[in-house]
Structure formats: structure tokens, C-alpha cells
Amino acid sequence: MSFLRNYLNKIKPNFEKDGKLHAFRSLFDGFETFLYVPNITSRNGVHIHDAIDSKRIMSMVVIALMPALLFGMYNVGYQNYMAAGTLASAGFFEIFIYGFLAVLPKILVSYIVGLGIEFAWAQWKGEEIQEGFLVSGILIPMIIPVNCPLWILAIAVAFAVIIGKEIFGGTGMNIFNPALICRAFLFFAYPSMMSGDKVWVADDTIFGLGNTLVDGFSQATPLAEVGLGVNPVDAGTSLCDMICGFIPGSIGETSVIAIALGALLLLITGIASWKTMLSVFVGGALTAALFASTGSTPIPWYEHLVLGGFAFGAVFMATDPVTSARTETGKWIYGFIIGMMAIIIRVMNPGYPEGMMLAILLMNMFAPTIDHFVVERNISKRMKRGGTK
């Protein structure tokens, strides 16, 4: 690695002020700081430096997302071959490659459009490239249906980066989760693509894999069946399939096991809050149990936790350190209300079978308020202990 370090040091003057490649300074800086921890130190004041910077944290989150992403790719191929009736004759790698080729364009468009805007924005403002889109860029393709057209995805990503983040000041200043802003834009601007009740099955002759499937075929997801008053188990979907992820749905949201592996990594490294995660599941479980006891939902409470984007949202979206509550007590309140609202939206809004996106965006807006009242309450308690009125 010393060769690479020496090479970067050699070409760095070209990207500094008055260098012939100064127009690409932000691009070079982003690439350099991604590979190496910056060696810049504070000149005045007292600062506490963490062992890793935000780029390393973001990279760890991307790694935690890999199990869900890889399984999602496999499941795309699995659903296609199963719908075509050729699943028994298809091999593991054939199924995976099919899904990989279907999902890869979504990832490329997400990163090319999102990072392109971030690079241009940073260069225009003369600032460093912000690293937040490292995670958003992979989250966005995982929370959309695989049949979302690339041009629509590009528009949504641009909207999320510009309107959802940059106008607030960039990474760390945004009020709402950019990936969910992208999904919300798609949901309201192109509802037929984002209703959450269909899964795409394509003609795999596009990929040259030899088996012709029904072009444009779609089928209801288990969560959509719940919205119609049908228990997916009665329709032939087992609880094991729901947990493992062999069901129709958005690319990265189907496998609870894969999501749990990512959650374990985030908790071990201390990147995500276990309080927020747990409280989302507790809030969702109690609310789902209440509705189930009154007969308002056709499924038991635990099926709500393994269907749709509930588990994915609890692990990777609700725990976003920028848009979630930051006080320890606030994390409990924030997560609990997210879980509660997600189930309420699912059960009481028949036009939208999924509820996690709207629940998290709603609580993104109220997270600062929750923290404010928690801090004020702590201050009041300390003043009372000190005898101050």
C-alpha cells in the first residue's frame, strides 16, 4: 500500500489550488480519504478523536447490508424461475446471476446519479465530498421493486440528494432519511411502481439465460394479501418462507435472517442503537397484538414483524444516527412510536399495504422534538435535586 500512498502524494499537487486539475479537487479528496484516514489534526481547542471516521462507519454499514442485498439478488431470480415453473431445473448460480443482472443496473444508476450530484455540489461549493451517500446509494436499490424503470429511479435519486439532503446543508444536517425520501418520491409520483403489492417477473432471454418467462407477469406480495384480508399462510406462504425471505417483495427487505446478520454486525461494532431497534419491534408487536385481538388484521402479531419492510426499516432506517433521536430515553420513545405507527398504517389504510416508510419519515420530523423534551426533563430533574427552583 505504500506504493499507492506515494503515488497519491505525487499527483496531489495537481488537484490543489492553482493545479491543472483543480476542478477535480473534491473528487480526488473523496477518493483519498476513502482509502486513508486523513492526517489533518486540529490546531487549537480541545478535541476528542474517535478511532474511526464517518467514512469507515459508512463502509461498515454497507458491509452489514451485504447479506440482505445478496439474498435479494438470489430471491429475484428465485421468484422468476418459480413463476415460470422452471425452478427445479435451475441451478443456484443460474438463479443468482439472473437476479444479480437484474439488480446491478439499479445500484449503478443510484451511485452514478447520487455521487455525481454530490461531487458536483462539493466542487461548486469548494467543500469536501460528503460520505453519506455511500450508504444511501446501496439502500435505495434495496427498498424499491426490481421493475422500477431506471430513468424513474434516476429522477428519484436526484430528488432525494438535492431536496432531501443538500438543501439542508448536506450529510449530518438533513432532517429526513434520503433513501426514504427517494422511496416516498417514487410512491407519490409513480404510485403504480411503488404500491408495494406487486413483484416483477421478466423475460430472462434479456440476460441470455435460456429460459423464457412470462414478460411482465406480476403477483401479489404476502403483505398485499394481508391488506385484502387474507392470511398468507392460508394462501400457501409458510412462516418459514417469510423468515427466510423466499417471498415476493422489494429487493432487500424479504429475508429476516439476512437482515438479522446485518443487525448483529451493527450492534457488535456499536454503530447502531439496540434501544432503537428493540423499541421498534416492541412497539410493532404490541400494536399488532392489539389489532389481532380485535380481529382487525387477518394475521397474528408476529407475522407483521417478518413481512414487508418492517425488519429492514427497524435495523437500517430507524437507526440512522442523523435523522433519529439521539438521547438515550428519546431512542426508546422514537423507536416505539415508529413500530406502532407502521402497524397502524398497515391495518387502517387499505390503500397502502406497507407502513414502515411513512412511519419513519413521520418520526424523523419529530425526533428533534423528542430529544428537546427529554433534555428539558433531565435539566428540570437536576435543578430539583440541586434545590434550584
Side-chain angles (χ1 to χ4, degrees):
M1 295 297 290
S2 60
F3 168 77
L4 180 59
R5 178 69 270 176
N6 292 335
Y7 178 73
L8 292 175
N9 290 338
K10 180 180 178 180
I11 66 174
K12 188 172 184 177
N14 295 321
F15 296 91
E16 295 177 346
K17 188 176 181 180
D18 299 327
K20 58 183 179 180
L21 298 175
H22 175 68
F24 302 98
R25 180 193 62 80
S26 295
L27 181 61
F28 176 84
D29 178 76
F31 180 73
E32 181 187 29
T33 54
F34 179 79
L35 294 174
Y36 297 97
V37 176
N39 59 359
I40 301 174
T41 58
S42 304
R43 294 187 177 182
N44 50 47
V46 179
H47 301 269
I48 299 176
H49 296 271
D50 201 349
I52 57 175
D53 63 5
S54 55
K55 281 189 174 64
R56 257 44 66 173
I57 293 175
M58 297 296 177
S59 299
M60 189 62 68
V61 176
V62 171
I63 293 173
L65 285 163
M66 285 299 105
L69 175 62
L70 294 175
F71 182 87
M73 291 177 175
Y74 178 82
N75 190 48
V76 168
Y78 180 90
Q79 296 298 324
N80 277 265
Y81 281 98
M82 183 172 65
T86 58
L87 183 62
S89 61
F92 173 84
F93 288 104
E94 185 179 1
I95 295 173
F96 177 79
I97 292 300
Y98 183 95
F100 173 80
L101 293 175
V103 175
L104 182 61
K106 306 290 188 296
I107 298 175
L108 292 177
V109 168
S110 177
Y111 273 118
I112 290 172
V113 174
L115 289 179
I117 294 174
E118 294 240 343
F119 290 159
W121 195 283
Q123 190 63 40
W124 173 55
K125 297 180 66 177
E127 298 176 349
E128 296 179 356
I129 293 176
Q130 299 170 336
E131 58 281 343
F133 201 77
L134 287 175
V135 173
S136 298
I138 198 70
L139 279 174
I140 290 172
M142 295 177 70
I143 61 175
I144 64 171
V146 72
N147 64 329
C148 179
L150 296 180
W151 68 271
I152 292 180
L153 176 61
I155 294 174
V157 170
F159 179 88
V161 174
I162 297 174
I163 305 300
K165 185 168 71 169
E166 294 299 343
I167 64 170
F168 290 102
T171 300
M173 304 295 291
N174 50 292
I175 299 174
F176 301 103
N177 186 299
L180 289 177
I181 286 291
C182 180
R183 182 178 172 114
F185 175 86
L186 288 169
F187 175 74
F188 290 107
Y190 304 95
S192 62
M193 293 293 175
M194 294 298 297
S195 61
D197 62 349
K198 298 292 182 182
V199 64
W200 171 74
V201 179
D203 184 345
D204 72 355
T205 56
I206 297 173
F207 306 130
L209 298 181
N211 295 321
T212 301
L213 304 185
V214 182
D215 188 19
F217 173 80
S218 63
Q219 66 185 92
T221 64
L223 195 57
E225 293 173 344
V226 174
L228 297 173
V230 178
N231 189 331
V233 174
D234 298 333
T237 302
S238 68
L239 180 61
C240 181
D241 287 337
M242 299 178 198
I243 295 174
C244 294
F246 295 106
I247 57 176
S250 294
I251 296 168
E253 296 180 345
T254 61
S255 176
V256 176
I257 295 176
I259 294 169
L261 291 175
L264 184 62
L265 177 60
L266 294 180
L267 293 176
I268 291 175
T269 55
I271 292 176
S273 168
W274 66 269
K275 295 178 181 179
T276 303
M277 282 191 201
L278 179 59
S279 59
V280 172
F281 283 103
V282 171
L286 293 178
T287 307
L290 178 62
F291 279 118
S293 66
T294 61
S296 301
T297 178
I299 61 175
W301 64 270
Y302 51 82
E303 288 188 21
H304 272 291
L305 306 186
V306 298
L307 286 177
F310 192 94
F312 190 88
V315 172
F316 296 108
M317 299 294 193
T319 57
D320 176 17
V322 175
T323 58
S324 66
R326 302 185 183 186
T327 58
E328 296 306 309
T329 302
K331 291 174 182 177
W332 287 108
I333 301 172
Y334 173 81
F336 186 89
I337 299 178
I338 286 177
M340 181 181 67
M341 290 301 302
I343 303 301
I344 290 175
I345 294 171
R346 281 185 182 183
V347 175
M348 302 188 69
N349 182 10
Y352 182 50
E354 179 59 87
M356 203 60 177
M357 174 193 74
L358 296 180
I360 295 176
L361 287 175
L362 176 66
M363 293 313 298
N364 283 169
M365 183 169 60
F366 286 101
T369 303
I370 293 173
D371 284 337
H372 170 76
F373 282 108
V374 169
V375 171
E376 289 297 317
R377 178 175 176 272
N378 290 340
I379 292 175
S380 177
K381 289 173 64 177
R382 290 176 183 175
M383 292 179 67
K384 289 180 179 178
R385 285 199 302 266
T388 304
K389 297 183 180 180

